[in-house]
């Protein structure tokens, strides 16, 4: 008879928590990419209006609550930091989604239809790949957010500009992007830690005893 593999409860909790955090990180990254509040600007000349800058459009917000957005006309006319942020955020979303899709079938609680999906080594490999991709998604998401924040700080304290000139400030999307990047890193760490813990637990488990046939007359018993 084949011996059943017992899953380590600690590793099971880590891998399940890693998948849940990975899903939350991807949703936060998607919201960051679509939000138009990467940067905000308000001027004293027009106190009733404020401006928002996103990766795909710019918006004007009125005090009465109206919002008017206009998408960018062409990709070639975009600033270099916006184009870089677009590419990296899309790469982060792709890596994060692939990490989630690989980590889910690698869970010990998920039973596949094929025989190889029940192998602990194959599931561990899927979780490890998902964890590595989640770490990559976190790095790809943190780079554009941090770069735009850095450039905004430099332009805000630029002494060559007159004091009356309006300056862009941090928007809500930057904080959402930092949250998504950190959650991706946490999810990747949890998934990789669960793989290491399951490996160590499997190494310390004694091998299962094999059934030895013993013949008694016309009957054969396995002990």
């Amino acid at each position: 008879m084949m011996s059943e593999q017992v899953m380590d409860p600690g590793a099971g909790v880590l891998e399940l928590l890693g998948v849940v955090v990975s899903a939350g990180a991807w949703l936060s990254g998607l919201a960051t990419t679509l939000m138009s509040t990467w940067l905000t600007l308000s001027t004293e000349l027009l106190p009733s209006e404020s401006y928002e800058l996103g990766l795909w459009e710019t918006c004007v917000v009125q005090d009465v609550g109206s919002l008017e957005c206009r998408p960018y006309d062409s990709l070639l006319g975009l600033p270099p930091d916006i184009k870089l942020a677009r590419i990296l955020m899309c790469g982060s979303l792709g890596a994060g989604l692939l990490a989630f899709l690989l980590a889910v079938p690698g869970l010990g609680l998920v039973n596949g239809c094929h025989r190889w999906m029940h192998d602990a080594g194959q599931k561990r490999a899927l979780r490890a790949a998902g964890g590595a991709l989640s770490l990559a998604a976190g790095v790809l998401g943190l780079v554009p957010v941090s770069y735009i924040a850095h450039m905004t700080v430099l332009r805000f304290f630029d002494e060559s500009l007159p004091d009356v000139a309006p300056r862009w400030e941090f928007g809500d999307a930057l904080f959402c992007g930092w949250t998504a990047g950190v959650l991706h890193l946490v999810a990747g760490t949890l998934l990789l830690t669960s793989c290491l813990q399951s490996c160590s637990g499997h190494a310390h488990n004694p091998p299962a005893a094999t059934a030895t046939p013993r013949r008694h007359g016309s009957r054969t018993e396995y002990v």
Side-chain angles (χ1 to χ4, degrees):
M1 297 177 62
M2 296 178 59
S3 61
E4 295 183 358
Q5 297 177 352
V6 180
M7 184 180 65
D8 185 7
V13 173
L14 288 178
E15 65 187 32
L16 183 60
L17 185 60
V19 170
V20 173
V21 175
S22 177
W26 188 84
L27 292 176
S28 299
L30 179 63
T32 303
T33 306
L34 298 179
M35 291 173 65
S36 61
T37 55
W38 278 64
L39 298 176
T40 60
L41 183 146
S42 58
T43 63
E44 296 180 356
L45 298 177
L46 294 174
S48 61
E49 292 183 353
S50 60
Y51 301 89
E52 298 176 353
L53 177 68
L55 299 182
W56 313 98
E57 60 186 5
T58 57
C59 299
V60 179
V61 183
Q62 303 285 342
D63 282 347
V64 294
S66 62
L67 177 66
E68 182 180 355
C69 297
R70 179 179 179 182
Y72 297 118
D73 296 332
S74 63
L75 180 63
L76 298 178
L78 290 177
D81 50 353
I82 297 297
K83 287 190 289 188
L84 178 64
R86 273 190 181 186
I87 296 173
L88 294 181
M89 288 304 299
C90 291
S92 176
L93 290 176
L97 181 59
L98 185 58
F100 179 77
L101 295 178
L102 289 177
V104 168
L107 290 175
L109 299 176
V110 177
N111 295 324
C113 298
H114 303 285
R115 183 178 179 181
W116 69 272
M117 286 298 296
H118 295 280
D119 186 9
Q122 297 289 345
K123 286 181 172 291
R124 192 162 50 244
L126 289 176
R127 293 198 308 271
L133 285 172
S134 184
L135 293 178
V139 174
L140 290 175
L142 288 175
V143 168
V145 176
S146 301
Y147 177 72
I148 288 184
H150 173 69
M151 296 302 298
T152 303
V153 171
L154 293 181
R155 293 163 183 166
F156 188 88
F157 294 102
D158 189 0
E159 297 180 354
S160 62
L161 296 176
D163 296 337
V164 296
R167 288 171 171 81
W168 291 99
E169 299 180 1
F170 291 174
D172 296 336
L174 294 183
F175 300 99
C176 186
W178 278 316
T179 302
V182 172
L183 288 179
H184 271 304
L185 296 180
V186 172
T189 303
L190 289 174
L191 291 174
L192 293 178
T193 304
S194 69
C195 295
L196 296 177
Q197 187 168 348
S198 61
C199 286
S200 61
H202 180 72
H204 288 86
N205 287 334
T210 57
T212 303
R214 181 177 298 176
R215 188 173 185 83
H216 294 279
S218 60
R219 294 182 304 158
T220 301
E221 297 181 353
Y222 291 86
V223 296

